[in-house]
């Protein structure tokens, strides 16, 4: 019960230590990681925003330059001048000197008829009046088409600008090489799986991505309403892995510029930091757990030691009081019995003197009288031996340091239990070293230890067995060894290490206090010796006691 309470206390101490250690440790670690995560995420998103913003500026500038070149040409040249094929070819040559992206150039009148053309195809005379782009160019002044193949079978897009000249409105239209435009988009420096592309409002690719799609493919991309500025979002496409997408709408055209990046690449340093944090937290946790266990065990061990000392002290005081009272009782009994014994012995002597007379010798019952007197004298001497032992026991109740013969002390202790052992069929086997050195110690305390061990040995054997008492010189010349072995049932391994604990007993409830061996352990330690036990189930138990030759402590 006491041990269970100490175990519960140990667990509580460990739990409290871990709680007060882990809460700040994990709060600090997770707080720092969360702050680092937010900062690093903002940095990654910021880099993507800057990248897409810079690319947007470049593409918008490219389109603005082309629109501006066409607008300036339309404003500086008259319709009649540009309608002249030779003049238009000369102007187109000058235009290509500044930009290689122009593929051809057309002049279209207000009815939509191409009146002049310079380029690799025969487009002069074609009527564009019913084309959607022509109406938008006439109405808005500028029109930029999506990228398409057309009859050229080559990716390109058209830019058309209109000019009103007097009562005439006409359109200057140019085809733009898509390869140059496409290279502007794909020149983004990304990781191994990064990508950049442009989508129109219908999710049709206007440039060729690095991976997975071709130009003019319709991509399964979320609908993104037109917005100002730049957005960075993370989501999967078509059941694939989630990716980071930085998006922005171009100014002159309803095209969505998209830069895709793999978060696993971008967040690799973050994942490494997380792994390092987990490693540090794990290492710190192990240290905290180890420290909590060590400190808690040390605290509980100290409490157990204090409780054991208190229990031993209480038991020793109680035992000392009992032994002192028993000593006084034994002395009183011995004195009271010795007086009648002396009288009986005296009368027995007188009766023996009477039997020596001639008249009595002639009696037919003379032999019976003599036998009766002899028996009286024998039992009186036996009773005196008992009272003598009681007086010797009583004299040893007061603690003292005296010169002792360990063999004699063991024999005297054995004699107290001889009758009970004989009744149970238990025999004592003595293996005393004859020239065993004498020791200086407390006889009463040692006798109490021997009585406890011998009494436990008798209980362990129960019936029919043997107890061996052996003495010999120790490995060190300044100590003697005492071994008390029984042939009992032995002690299980899980119990062996607890037998010196206070209140631990294997006896039935009410038959043992669990303090006998605890007191014995304390007595031997205070006398400067040490005690240990070995046992094997089914074969018996042996107590090994080592005592110093000279006194090392006075036990009060």
């Amino acid at each position: 019960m006491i041990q269970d309470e100490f175990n519960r206390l140990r667990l509580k101490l460990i739990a409290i230590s871990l709680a007060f250690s882990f809460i700040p440790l994990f709060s600090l670690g997770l707080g720092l990681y969360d702050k680092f995560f937010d900062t690093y995420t903002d940095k990654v998103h910021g880099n993507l925003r800057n990248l897409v913003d810079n690319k947007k500026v470049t593409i918008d500038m490219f389109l603005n330059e082309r629109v501006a070149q066409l607008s300036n040409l339309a404003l500086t040249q008259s319709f009649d001048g540009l309608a002249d094929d030779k003049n238009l070819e000369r102007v187109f040559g000058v235009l290509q000197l500044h930009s290689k992206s122009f593929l051809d150039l057309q002049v279209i009148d207000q009815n939509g008829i191409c009146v002049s053309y310079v380029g690799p195809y025969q487009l002069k005379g074609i009527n564009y009046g019913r084309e959607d782009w022509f109406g938008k160019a006439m109405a808005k002044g500028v029109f930029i088409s999506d990228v398409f193949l057309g009859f050229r079978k080559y990716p390109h897009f058209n830019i058309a600008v209109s000019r009103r000249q007097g009562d005439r409105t006409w359109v200057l239209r140019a085809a733009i090489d898509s390869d140059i435009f496409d290279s502007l988009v794909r020149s983004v420096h990304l990781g191994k799986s990064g990508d950049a592309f442009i989508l129109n409002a219908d999710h049709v690719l206007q440039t060729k991505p690095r991976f997975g799609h071709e130009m003019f493919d319709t991509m399964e991309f979320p609908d993104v309403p037109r917005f100002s500025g730049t957005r960075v979002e993370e989501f999967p496409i078509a059941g694939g892995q989630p990716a980071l997408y930085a998006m922005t709408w171009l100014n002159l055209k309803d095209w969505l510029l998209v830069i895709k990046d793999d978060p696993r690449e971008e967040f690799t340093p973050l994942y490494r930091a997380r792994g390092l944090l987990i490693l540090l937290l794990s290492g710190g946790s192990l240290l905290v757990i180890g420290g909590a266990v060590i400190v808690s065990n040390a605290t509980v061990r100290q409490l157990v030691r204090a409780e054991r000392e208190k229990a031993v002290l209480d038991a020793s005081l109680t035992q000392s009081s009992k032994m002192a009272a028993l000593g006084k009782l034994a002395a009183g009994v011995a004195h009271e019995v010795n007086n009648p014994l002396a009288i009986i012995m005296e009368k027995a002597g007188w009766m023996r003197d009477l039997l020596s007379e001639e008249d009595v010798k002639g009696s037919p019952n003379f032999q019976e009288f003599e036998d009766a007197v002899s028996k009286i004298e024998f039992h009186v001497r036996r009773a005196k031996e008992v009272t003598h032992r009681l007086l010797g026991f009583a004299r040893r109740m007061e603690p003292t340091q005296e010169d002792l013969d360990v063999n004699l002390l063991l024999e005297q202790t054995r004699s107290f239990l001889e009758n009970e052992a004989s009744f149970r069929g238990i025999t004592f086997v003595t293996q005393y070293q004859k020239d065993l050195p004498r020791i200086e110690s407390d006889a009463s305390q040692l006798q109490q230890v021997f009585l406890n061990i011998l009494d436990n040995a008798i209980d362990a054997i129960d019936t029919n067995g043997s107890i061996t008492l052996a003495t010999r010189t120790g490995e060190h010349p300044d100590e003697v060894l005492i071994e008390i072995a029984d042939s009992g049932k032995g002690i299980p391994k899980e119990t062996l290490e607890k037998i010196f604990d206070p209140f631990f007993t294997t006896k039935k409830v009410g038959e043992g206090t669990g303090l006998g061996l605890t007191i014995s352990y304390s007595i031997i330690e205070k006398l400067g010796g040490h005690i240990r036990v070995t046992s094997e189930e089914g074969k018996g138990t042996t107590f090994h006691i080592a005592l110093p030759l000279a006194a090392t402590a006075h036990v009060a």
Side-chain angles (χ1 to χ4, degrees):
M1 184 66 69
I2 297 295
Q3 190 63 37
D4 291 340
E5 291 181 2
F6 280 123
N7 288 335
R8 285 194 291 269
L9 177 61
R10 181 184 291 106
L11 293 177
K12 287 181 180 178
L13 288 175
I14 292 174
I16 292 172
S17 300
L18 294 181
F20 280 98
S21 299
F22 280 148
I23 289 175
L25 177 65
F26 280 94
S27 297
L28 178 62
L30 295 178
L32 289 175
Y33 177 76
D34 185 64
K35 186 67 176 177
F36 179 70
F37 179 86
D38 291 341
T39 302
Y40 193 84
T41 301
D42 290 342
K43 178 183 177 182
V44 171
H45 288 187
N47 289 339
L48 285 176
R49 285 192 183 93
N50 290 336
L51 193 61
V52 78
D53 284 341
N54 291 337
K55 189 55 61 178
K56 173 187 176 180
V57 170
T58 300
I59 296 173
D60 279 338
M61 185 180 297
F62 175 84
L63 296 177
N64 279 326
E65 286 179 353
R66 303 305 171 270
V67 171
Q69 286 174 322
L70 290 179
S71 297
N72 289 335
L73 185 59
L75 291 173
T76 57
Q77 300 288 330
S78 65
F79 176 79
D80 294 334
L82 293 177
D84 182 4
D85 291 339
K86 291 184 179 181
N87 185 47
L88 184 64
E89 186 173 356
R90 180 185 61 80
V91 170
F92 182 70
V94 174
L95 192 64
Q96 279 197 318
L97 288 177
H98 296 88
S99 176
K100 298 295 183 180
S101 58
F102 288 98
L103 297 177
D104 58 19
L105 189 63
Q106 294 175 274
V107 178
I108 303 169
D109 64 14
Q110 62 185 5
N111 297 318
I113 298 174
C114 179
V115 297
S116 180
Y117 171 79
V118 57
Y121 303 99
Q122 295 296 326
L123 301 180
K124 189 174 181 179
I126 294 179
N127 189 350
Y128 297 105
R130 295 183 179 181
E131 297 292 334
D132 182 64
W133 66 265
F134 179 74
K136 291 179 179 180
M138 292 289 285
K140 296 182 178 181
V142 177
F143 175 78
I144 301 175
S145 72
D146 287 336
V147 178
F148 65 103
L149 291 175
F151 62 86
R152 294 178 175 84
K153 304 300 179 182
Y154 184 80
H156 66 285
F157 65 95
N158 292 327
I159 298 177
V161 297
S162 63
R163 180 193 173 187
R164 185 170 183 81
Q165 188 177 0
D167 58 352
R168 177 188 297 171
T169 301
W170 53 280
V171 173
L172 187 62
R173 182 189 185 210
I176 308 298
D177 186 357
S178 181
D179 280 347
I180 298 176
F181 178 72
D182 194 56
S183 64
L184 290 176
V185 177
R186 287 191 289 130
S187 63
V188 177
H189 296 289
L190 297 171
K192 294 181 180 180
S193 57
D195 208 346
F197 50 85
I198 290 179
L199 295 173
N200 67 7
D202 297 324
H203 300 169
V204 177
L205 284 166
Q206 303 298 294
T207 60
K208 185 180 183 304
R210 292 174 64 192
F211 308 105
H213 291 86
E214 297 293 334
M215 186 179 294
F216 306 124
D217 285 350
T218 300
M219 180 177 285
E220 295 182 14
F221 200 82
D223 289 327
V224 182
R226 190 173 185 89
F227 58 87
S228 60
T230 304
R231 288 184 184 177
V232 178
E233 297 181 9
E234 182 175 352
F235 50 81
I237 294 180
Q241 291 291 332
L244 283 174
Y245 294 92
M247 301 167 287
T248 186
W249 289 96
L250 300 181
N251 292 332
L252 293 181
K253 178 64 178 173
D254 55 347
W255 285 344
L256 182 67
L257 174 61
V258 180
I259 294 181
K260 172 189 173 184
D261 203 0
D262 188 348
R264 292 174 296 181
E265 293 182 13
E266 291 295 334
F267 289 99
T268 296
L270 186 63
Y271 298 149
R272 291 175 181 170
R274 182 174 64 187
L276 180 60
L277 176 64
I278 293 173
L279 182 62
L280 292 175
L281 288 178
S282 300
S285 299
L286 291 177
L287 289 176
V288 168
I289 292 172
V293 171
I294 291 172
V295 171
S296 300
N297 287 342
T299 303
V300 171
R301 276 197 301 270
Q302 187 65 30
L303 291 174
V304 170
R305 189 180 300 112
E307 186 67 23
R308 174 184 291 174
E309 292 175 354
K310 180 178 178 297
V312 170
L313 179 60
D314 293 343
S316 297
L317 291 174
T318 302
Q319 188 72 8
S320 297
S321 299
K322 290 180 180 179
M323 296 299 284
L326 181 59
K328 292 179 181 180
L329 178 62
V333 170
H335 283 296
E336 291 298 324
V337 172
N338 274 338
N339 291 332
L341 287 177
I343 295 173
I344 293 172
M345 181 61 79
E346 182 183 353
K347 295 303 180 183
W350 177 74
M351 290 174 65
R352 184 172 291 283
D353 291 340
L354 291 178
L355 288 176
S356 63
E357 296 181 0
E358 293 182 1
D359 292 341
V360 179
K361 285 182 178 180
S363 172
N365 297 320
F366 173 78
Q367 188 60 43
E368 292 184 13
F369 290 153
E370 188 174 11
D371 291 342
V373 172
S374 297
K375 289 181 179 180
I376 289 172
E377 291 176 340
F378 173 76
H379 286 291
V380 167
R381 285 192 295 272
R382 183 181 175 189
K384 281 187 175 182
E385 290 177 0
V386 173
T387 59
H388 180 72
R389 286 202 301 267
L390 285 174
L391 285 172
F393 179 75
R395 293 191 188 101
R396 288 196 293 268
M397 290 305 99
E398 293 298 324
T400 181
Q401 295 291 341
E402 55 186 306
D403 189 51
L404 296 177
D405 182 345
V406 175
N407 291 342
L408 180 59
L409 191 62
L410 280 170
E411 271 299 297
Q412 290 175 348
T413 308
R414 180 188 66 80
S415 67
F416 283 112
L417 300 171
E418 190 169 12
N419 286 337
E420 182 181 357
S422 177
F423 176 76
R424 296 193 184 191
I426 299 172
T427 58
F428 285 100
V429 179
T430 59
Q431 299 174 358
Y432 301 145
Q433 181 178 318
K434 292 182 180 180
D435 57 347
L436 187 70
R438 299 175 72 85
I439 69 171
E440 185 181 348
S441 191
D442 189 322
S444 64
Q445 299 284 359
L446 285 178
Q447 195 165 51
Q448 183 178 348
V449 172
F450 298 154
L451 278 172
N452 282 336
I453 296 175
L454 289 173
D455 187 53
N456 285 340
I458 291 173
D459 288 341
I461 296 173
D462 193 16
T463 58
N464 300 324
S466 64
I467 299 175
T468 301
L469 292 85
T471 60
R472 58 187 173 87
T473 304
E475 296 178 0
H476 300 285
D478 58 346
E479 68 178 11
V480 296
L481 297 181
I482 303 161
E483 293 182 353
I484 302 175
D486 65 65
S487 59
K489 54 183 175 293
I491 303 173
K493 290 183 179 180
E494 61 272 13
T495 303
L496 194 61
E497 60 185 15
K498 302 178 183 178
I499 62 171
F500 293 118
D501 291 347
F503 308 109
F504 180 79
T505 180
T506 57
K507 297 179 181 179
K508 296 180 181 178
V509 178
E511 294 186 4
T513 62
L515 291 172
L517 290 178
T518 304
I519 295 172
S520 299
Y521 183 90
S522 178
I523 289 173
I524 296 299
E525 290 288 319
K526 288 180 180 179
L527 292 176
H530 54 271
I531 181 173
R532 63 185 181 88
V533 61
T534 58
S535 185
E536 187 174 349
E537 288 190 76
K539 293 186 177 182
T541 302
T542 302
F543 283 85
H544 307 267
I545 302 172
L547 293 172
L549 296 182
T552 58
H554 291 279
V555 182

